[in-house]
Amino acid sequence: MAGWEILMGAGGSRPHPPGSQSSLHRANVARLLGAVRSAGALSQAEIARRTGLSAATVSNIVQELAAAGSVQVRPGLAGGRRVRQVTLSETAGTVVGVDYGHSHLRVAVGDLSRRVLAEDAVPLDVDASAADSLNRAEQMIEDLLCVAGVQRAQVLGVGLGVPGPFDVDTGQIGSSVLLPGWAGVRPQQALVERLCLPVYADNDANLGALGELAFGAGQGQEDLVYLKVSNGIGAGLVLGGRLYRGAGGSAGEIGHITLDEAGPVCRCGNRGCLESHANAGYLLSLLRDTHGADLTVADAVALARQGDPGCRRVLSDIGRHVGIGVASLCNLLNPRCLIIGGDLAPAGDLLVTPLYEAVARYAIPSAARQLRVVTGTLGDRAEVLGALALAMSESAGEHAVVPV
Ligand SMILES: [Zn+2]
């Protein structure tokens, strides 16, 4: 491949003196690739806006990279409009996504052009044993790579989702209270040792945000909040097109803001947290006496859709409680798009309408005016697809082929 070289990330080797024409071109190429890698897919107009490069420069570089097979240009959606989008090439490498829920394990294999090549999910008591859960993931990865016809050596990286706060500095699950079977375990390091591959880890809400951003309802958005409402409540925050994790990885723990100082004790040890007034367990506890102990969240949502007044009332109350928390988020971050995911998302308008009403009541009007609330389009695949997106954005640039 004469005339081309492997660029090792945006800061790659510099064979030309800084300031030379060639050095400037290389820097522009790296900047463009970085923007595409980070977003997954961008129109040329978006690339120009995010990189500060002129439209003509973007067009020239995209043509060069497409001719070299490093990027692809194909139809896509941005902000609801059909546009031609630039993605990294499908031949640029393969990534793996692993998503642990409390009761399931889902694994997917994809390429850098965002095609999902193979995917599977199994029910699993993830909390019970970290070792068993890691063994199962390793086996599923091997099986799915086989299905996809990909050698392990072709895998650039693995995205890993865990259902709880994840300390980005220590690599440990943040709180043993929230995930007792994994206390003290460094899941990222454990998978690195088993797979001998780079592993990038994050919590489920952050990965849900990345999943919807790259593959679902958040495509083309730069400022969005993904709110997962399941057994717990957590938010993934995308600001300026990038995931915001905070200093230690705990940004977005909206489930533990205080709604009622005299309320019930939460699993975090505080009292009256939003989560204890709005999660799936709360929903079932309110309906147990009237609808039976066997009622599931899916049953309650289905009954509410059929008009059951008790189920509708409880979902409405949960929507209102969540809306109070979202109003605070609006005042802080002024997001344009809120995507509801998790087990309660199928309730749709039954949850979203009272949520909107609470936001309108408690947020300042200028912070809530632009907010659009939608349910996610990826369902329970949001986290594993987010794990793929994380692995893509973290590892793709290391093998990008760029012109010298
Ligand atoms: Zn709490």
Side-chain angles (χ1 to χ4, degrees):
M1 194 170 285
W4 297 78
E5 70 173 62
I6 307 293
L7 179 78
M8 299 303 291
S13 58
R14 296 176 180 276
H16 305 285
S20 73
Q21 195 65 24
S22 198
S23 167
L24 179 65
H25 184 66
R26 283 172 49 80
N28 288 344
V29 169
R31 201 188 307 178
L32 185 151
L33 281 172
V36 174
R37 189 170 65 236
S38 173
L42 288 174
S43 69
Q44 293 196 25
E46 285 174 319
I47 293 172
R49 193 166 54 77
R50 294 192 186 194
T51 59
L53 300 173
S54 72
T57 301
V58 168
S59 177
N60 287 338
I61 294 175
V62 167
Q63 273 185 28
E64 289 172 13
L65 292 173
S70 298
V71 300
Q72 300 180 155
V73 184
R74 61 187 187 187
L77 284 175
R81 295 196 313 277
R82 293 198 172 279
V83 295
R84 287 173 62 74
Q85 287 187 314
V86 181
T87 66
L88 296 177
S89 169
E90 62 196 41
T91 58
T94 304
V95 290
V96 171
V98 176
D99 166 44
Y100 285 110
H102 288 286
S103 56
H104 75 263
L105 167 63
R106 189 180 284 269
V107 177
V109 175
D111 65 29
L112 295 190
S113 74
R114 296 191 187 190
R115 286 188 310 161
V116 178
L117 305 173
E119 182 178 344
D120 197 11
V122 294
L124 186 68
D125 184 2
V126 170
D127 293 0
S129 164
D132 289 350
S133 300
L134 291 163
N135 287 341
R136 195 66 190 270
E138 186 179 7
Q139 188 58 55
M140 281 180 74
I141 291 169
E142 287 300 323
D143 293 348
L144 289 174
L145 287 176
C146 209
V147 168
V150 175
Q151 304 288 324
R152 193 191 283 199
Q154 295 173 261
V155 177
L156 299 177
V158 179
L160 168 65
V162 291
F166 183 83
D167 190 311
V168 292
D169 291 329
T170 67
Q172 284 189 332
I173 302 284
S175 167
S176 60
V177 176
L178 297 181
L179 197 59
W182 292 68
V185 174
R186 290 183 169 83
Q188 184 176 12
Q189 188 59 34
L191 266 190
V192 168
E193 287 165 7
R194 285 159 189 262
L195 301 172
C196 298
L197 289 169
V199 178
Y200 311 96
D202 216 322
N203 70 52
D204 52 350
N206 283 351
L207 292 187
L210 287 179
E212 292 287 354
L213 179 70
F215 294 92
Q219 288 184 71
Q221 299 287 338
E222 284 193 57
D223 297 288
L224 70 81
V225 174
Y226 174 82
L227 191 66
K228 184 170 182 177
V229 189
S230 287
N231 289 325
I233 293 184
L237 312 175
V238 174
L239 306 176
R242 302 184 71 86
L243 194 64
Y244 179 75
R245 296 182 170 89
S250 291
E253 288 292 339
I254 185 177
H256 301 281
I257 66 171
T258 306
L259 219 60
D260 175 9
E261 239 185 316
V265 174
C266 176
R267 58 183 174 149
C268 76
N270 215 326
R271 290 189 66 176
C273 292
L274 166 61
E275 183 172 299
S276 53
H277 290 82
N279 69 4
Y282 170 80
L283 176 143
L284 296 178
S285 71
L286 290 179
L287 293 167
R288 190 170 295 128
D289 288 348
T290 49
H291 292 69
D294 295 335
L295 188 79
T296 65
V297 171
D299 294 338
V301 170
L303 285 168
R305 289 201 161 283
Q306 292 163 24
D308 182 282
C311 293
R312 290 177 83 94
R313 170 59 196 262
V314 172
L315 281 172
S316 172
D317 286 350
I318 287 177
R320 186 163 50 83
H321 293 153
V322 172
I324 295 171
V326 171
S328 296
L329 263 184
C330 285
N331 287 351
L332 279 173
L333 301 174
N334 189 201
R336 186 177 296 278
C337 180
L338 175 78
I339 301 173
I340 307 285
D343 294 344
L344 268 59
D349 287 349
L350 297 174
L351 193 73
V352 170
T353 301
L355 190 157
Y356 250 133
E357 289 168 359
V359 171
R361 184 181 180 119
Y362 296 111
I364 60 170
S366 61
R369 193 172 297 132
Q370 290 110 340
L371 184 72
R372 191 169 60 95
V373 182
V374 296
T375 50
T377 58
L378 302 177
D380 54 10
R381 300 173 67 218
E383 289 79 11
V384 79
L385 295 183
L388 280 183
L390 176 68
M392 287 174 191
S393 66
E394 294 288 343
S395 59
E398 299 196 352
H399 297 82
V401 181
V402 301
V404 175

